Amino acid sequence: MARNLTSAPAVGNARWKRLIPVAIIVYIISFMDRTNIGFALNGLHQDLGIDAAQQGLAAGIFFIGYLVLQIPGGHLAEHWSAKKFVGIMVLIWGVLAVLSGFIQDFTQLLVVRFFLGVAEAGIWPAILVLISHWFPAAERARAYAFWMMNIAIASIITAPLSGWILSFADWRWLFIIEGLFPFVIAAPLWWALIADHPREAKWCSVQEREYIEKGLAADAAAHPSRKSWACATSCPTQWCGA
């Protein structure tokens, strides 16, 4: 992400080189721990006797849990700390992903998958909030677009990786190995390189910090009105996606 990614290259582009790549890596790992159950279904059937209907429920219950922290996750990221919220959730989902490799029956699988969904639910909205703290409105759509490449990148990387692991290990080791990635990759990168605001990042130059803060201040002055969380959650267009 070089010089042409920012509209003001003279002030620096550390925000493009640090925040966006780390956010992409974190989401790729979360995508992997969410979708690897598709590669484990045959083993779950053979070892635990889980039939097709149960397999479908086990795969789908993740998204029931995923609903739980979507809006609260964004709220916590905005009013508390996106860095802390995501950093904690990374560790919690890592524990749950590893636990998936130790389940002994269908009920345990449902419980772990549900809470894995809860743990991962707030990641997406929290990162959107983080980006809004680092990129003025003129850059924000571009920043969102670069970050959302994670969906395609994750699909390219995680499916072959899961298949490769299953070439020398069983479904339990698939969950355990990929469940360790949040601890050895995602969490260290996130805690070391992410800051909630430019003023908190030692790697952000004074010139870049001033550029970002002035841009955000101008955006706030141009759009001063803010609605409450209760108002946002009760708005029909929020739920309909209009």
Side-chain angles (χ1 to χ4, degrees):
M1 297 179 184
R3 194 176 179 85
N4 62 342
L5 290 184
T6 173
S7 57
V11 302
N13 53 23
R15 62 199 182 283
W16 295 97
K17 294 179 178 179
R18 289 178 180 259
L19 291 176
I20 300 299
V22 172
I24 288 174
I25 290 169
V26 167
Y27 190 81
I28 287 173
I29 295 174
S30 74
F31 183 90
M32 175 179 59
D33 287 331
R34 148 191 342 178
T35 59
N36 57 10
I37 190 172
F39 293 85
L41 290 178
N42 186 54
L44 289 167
H45 171 67
Q46 293 179 353
D47 295 348
L48 302 182
I50 296 176
D51 62 29
Q54 291 174 321
Q55 290 174 3
L57 179 58
I61 199 171
F62 170 93
F63 294 98
I64 298 176
Y66 202 77
L67 292 174
V68 174
L69 278 183
Q70 281 281 287
I71 294 175
H75 182 77
L76 286 169
E78 181 65 55
H79 296 281
W80 177 45
S81 167
K83 175 178 180 175
K84 292 177 182 177
F85 176 75
V86 173
I88 292 170
M89 290 299 104
V90 167
L91 298 175
I92 293 174
W93 109 53
V95 170
L96 291 164
V98 171
L99 282 177
S100 300
F102 295 92
I103 59 161
Q104 298 299 318
D105 56 42
F106 178 60
T107 300
Q108 292 178 5
L109 176 62
L110 290 183
V111 171
V112 171
R113 290 291 299 178
F114 174 82
F115 284 105
L116 180 64
V118 174
E120 291 192 14
I123 303 297
W124 186 280
I127 291 179
L128 292 180
V129 169
L130 182 72
I131 290 174
S132 74
H133 291 171
W134 276 89
F135 296 88
E139 298 178 338
R140 203 167 297 151
R142 200 179 329 147
Y144 287 150
F146 277 110
W147 177 63
M148 290 176 67
M149 289 193 304
N150 59 47
I151 300 172
I153 297 171
S155 298
I156 293 170
I157 294 175
T158 61
L161 178 61
S162 296
W164 177 70
I165 292 173
L166 285 177
S167 70
F168 62 83
D170 63 8
W171 62 272
R172 292 187 182 277
W173 278 108
L174 172 68
F175 286 143
I176 294 169
I177 292 171
E178 295 188 342
L180 292 174
F181 287 1
F183 299 103
V184 300
I185 300 175
L189 287 175
W190 185 266
W191 286 105
L193 299 179
I194 297 298
D196 282 309
H197 301 279
R199 62 181 177 273
E200 300 167 0
K202 295 180 180 180
W203 46 262
C204 184
S205 68
V206 174
Q207 294 85 354
E208 186 170 6
R209 186 180 309 127
E210 290 178 349
Y211 164 76
I212 295 168
E213 291 177 348
K214 287 180 181 178
L216 295 177
D219 295 339
H223 305 282
S225 62
R226 289 189 174 214
K227 294 185 178 180
S228 68
W229 181 51
C231 178
T233 55
S234 64
C235 177
T237 55
Q238 286 287 94
W239 296 100
C240 296

